[in-house]
Amino acid sequence: MAKIPDKEDLIFRPTRDETYIAFAAAVDSWSKVEWQMMFLFNSVSTPTDLNKSGSILLSIIGIQAQLRVIEAAARSHLRKDPDLLKDVERTTEKIGKKATIRNRIIHGRWNETHCFNGAEYQHTELIRTFSAEQIFGPTYSTEQERKALLGKFLFDKSELDKAAEMFEHLSNTIFNLQFRIVSGFAPIVG
């Protein structure tokens, strides 16, 4: 009779491809945040011309500068609705904080390492490097050192999945805020 595997033998170990797919999913999720930022800017700047507001926002270099422009337009457009303006400011603050995580994923050079426990493959990790001199990136020898690098210089599948989920949630938050803004300023017909 076959022996039932122990619980620890049933733990899922992501493959190399799954780690890279998670990397692409995180990048894609951030692109949705940027798309929603364009709609948010449109709703507080030139609500009748998405092409114009999109061109303006995309011509601004850097996420922090884009966020300051969204806030400035919101202060003008929402001056009679301080609660909605506060929500814009809270949302732009969230975007700014999450942009740090996005930058850690997007910028730098990437090396991969395959983690083994003895001869058994555990998972693939992506390690961010910044220069040819630092070709192998930061290293660790203990689990505590590894955890300190996670989300900063070291990304495994679960860390990338967490970032993608966070970016998706942020994208929905921006969408809902933008929808509230345009709903409150809908033109009166008739």
Side-chain angles (χ1 to χ4, degrees):
M1 178 176 214
K3 181 182 178 251
I4 298 175
D6 293 331
K7 179 182 173 187
E8 55 271 1
D9 294 335
L10 298 175
I11 295 173
F12 175 71
R13 306 281 186 220
T15 66
R16 176 182 186 264
D17 290 347
E18 288 167 328
T19 302
Y20 279 101
I21 290 168
F23 182 86
V27 172
D28 180 59
S29 293
W30 183 263
S31 71
K32 293 173 187 171
V33 169
E34 291 177 334
W35 183 249
Q36 290 304 323
M37 283 174 54
M38 187 178 70
F39 282 105
L40 177 60
F41 180 61
N42 174 258
S43 69
V44 295
S45 63
T46 55
T48 59
D49 193 346
L50 182 60
N51 289 331
K52 182 178 180 181
S53 59
S55 295
I56 292 168
L57 192 64
L58 294 176
S59 70
I60 299 168
I61 307 283
I63 187 87
Q64 295 304 325
Q66 291 174 344
L67 294 174
R68 298 306 71 87
V69 168
I70 291 170
E71 289 170 351
R75 280 191 297 276
S76 175
H77 187 71
L78 301 173
R79 64 186 167 275
K80 294 181 181 176
D81 194 337
D83 292 336
L84 207 46
L85 178 58
K86 266 248 189 278
D87 287 346
V88 170
E89 291 168 347
R90 276 193 287 270
T91 301
T92 57
E93 184 179 333
K94 287 177 189 175
I95 296 168
K97 288 178 181 176
K98 303 296 189 251
T100 300
I101 297 165
R102 174 256 187 214
N103 290 344
R104 289 175 179 164
I105 293 170
I106 299 293
H107 296 295
R109 294 182 174 116
W110 287 97
N111 288 316
E112 69 180 47
T113 183
H114 306 285
C115 300
F116 292 86
N117 184 2
E120 183 183 336
Y121 170 79
Q122 296 291 305
H123 63 275
T124 297
E125 295 175 339
L126 302 177
I127 300 174
R128 183 172 61 135
T129 59
F130 294 100
S131 65
E133 297 80 30
Q134 191 193 34
I135 191 71
F136 297 111
T139 59
Y140 62 87
S141 55
T142 67
E143 188 59 26
Q144 183 178 358
E145 290 172 346
R146 178 183 183 275
K147 285 181 180 179
L149 295 172
L150 271 174
K152 294 180 183 128
F153 296 98
L154 181 69
F155 290 86
D156 59 12
K157 181 183 181 310
S158 66
E159 198 68 24
L160 292 163
D161 287 343
K162 186 170 40 172
E165 184 178 320
M166 183 186 328
F167 298 157
E168 289 285 340
H169 179 74
L170 181 58
S171 174
N172 289 332
T173 298
I174 301 166
F175 171 82
N176 290 327
L177 174 60
Q178 182 271 148
F179 185 76
R180 285 178 39 225
I181 292 168
V182 297
S183 297
F185 291 93
I188 300 170
V189 181

